[in-house]
Every structure is written in C-alpha cells, then in structure tokens.
Amino acid sequence: MDQQILTDTLKYGFRISHTEEGWIEPLLDAVNGVDFETAKWKPAPKVASIWEIVAHAIPYTESRLCDFTGATKEEEPDWPEIADPTPEAWAQLQERARKVVSEFQSVLEAASGEEIAGPKPGKKTPRAERLMDIVVHDAYHAGQIVKLKQAYKSRAALAHA
C-alpha cells in the first residue's frame, strides 16, 4: 500500500473519531453541550458517568499526542476519581478535551508519513499503531457518552410522563 494513502487514512481516522461528523458521533460532539447534571449522572453505581469517561479518555489522548510532540506526560490514574464535582470543574475538563483534540489534529495534519510510521524516540511501537489505538479508544468512549446522554434524557422524560 502506498505510504501516502496509509498516512491519509490514519489522519482521516483521527478526524472522524474526534471532530468530523460521519457515521459515528465524534468525541468532541459527544462531549460538547453536556451539562453538569448530565455529566455527573450515573445510571447505576458501577457504571461510569460521562464525566468519568471523559476524565479517563483525555489523559490517554494527551499521552498519544506526546508521541508526536516529544513532550512527556505525567502519569494519571486510568480511571481518576472526580475530586471536584462542580460545574466549573466539568467546564474545565470539556475545555481540556477541546484543547488536546485540536492540538493533536493540528500536529497530526502536519506530520509526515515517516513520522507517523516511525516510533517515538526511545520506543519501539510505531506511532501509527498508537494512533489507531487512540482512534478506536476514543470512538468507543464517544459511543458510550452518546448512549449515556440518551439514557439520561429518556430517564428525565419518563419522570415527567
């Protein structure tokens, strides 16, 4: 396969799972407009809230961005506890999501095929593989967010019926 085709396909995969409306709802669309009450709602005790999903997904996305920028990222818990459940903290997490996705998309669009195919300095795994990992990861979590928004809305509608 032509390297340019592969490079363009990987870049497309990132866009479709994060910012461009297509056959799935991209992560940013899933997160944008979610109010505080919806974000913190849990349909059951052992089911993650939208807030918890976003707090899990964003550090993972940031770590994959570091593959391209060379920056280092401080380790965060895989599923961090929501220490400050306030509307302001939720708004900050939403902004963090917008910032990392926007920066990642810019860096990725400027990346060459060689950069995408090669590993991060000091690592063996090609960036392309780690890029596909984040595309699938964030598409999966965007789908969870969409379903949680639907469940929250349905629950609220049933309460008023």
Side-chain angles (χ1 to χ4, degrees):
M1 177 183 270
D2 181 290
Q3 185 171 343
Q4 189 59 49
I5 293 171
L6 181 57
T7 299
D8 291 347
T9 301
L10 290 169
K11 290 177 181 183
Y12 168 77
F14 183 86
R15 288 191 315 271
I16 202 73
S17 66
H18 289 86
T19 62
E20 285 183 15
E21 188 66 42
W23 60 273
I24 63 171
E25 186 164 341
L27 181 64
L28 283 189
D29 286 357
V31 172
N32 285 333
V34 174
D35 64 35
F36 171 68
E37 292 300 323
T38 305
K40 69 178 188 165
W41 175 74
K42 294 173 70 97
K46 296 198 183 249
V47 177
S49 68
I50 291 171
W51 192 328
E52 291 168 326
I53 292 167
V54 175
H56 159 75
I58 296 310
Y60 195 35
T61 306
E62 290 168 338
S63 75
R64 294 305 187 259
L65 173 60
C66 290
D67 289 354
F68 289 86
T69 64
T72 56
K73 174 147 181 25
E74 214 173 283
E75 285 292 318
E76 293 185 45
D78 191 29
W79 287 91
E81 182 179 327
I82 307 303
D84 183 25
T86 63
E88 296 78 22
W90 170 241
Q92 288 172 355
L93 184 60
Q94 287 174 301
E95 181 56 32
R96 183 177 170 191
R98 285 187 286 275
K99 181 180 178 211
V100 69
V101 168
S102 176
E103 184 178 350
F104 203 153
Q105 189 163 336
S106 293
V107 167
L108 187 58
E109 288 301 325
S112 70
E114 291 78 25
E115 288 173 297
I116 292 172
K120 175 181 178 177
K123 300 291 181 182
K124 292 182 181 180
T125 305
R127 288 183 189 101
E129 185 177 320
R130 292 175 54 85
L131 176 59
M132 277 308 304
D133 185 48
I134 201 63
V135 164
V136 172
H137 179 266
D138 288 353
Y140 171 79
H141 287 307
Q144 288 181 307
I145 293 166
V146 168
K147 287 299 179 189
L148 282 168
K149 289 189 314 188
Q150 291 170 344
Y152 183 81
K153 187 175 180 181
S154 295
R155 181 199 59 83
L158 289 173
H160 292 97

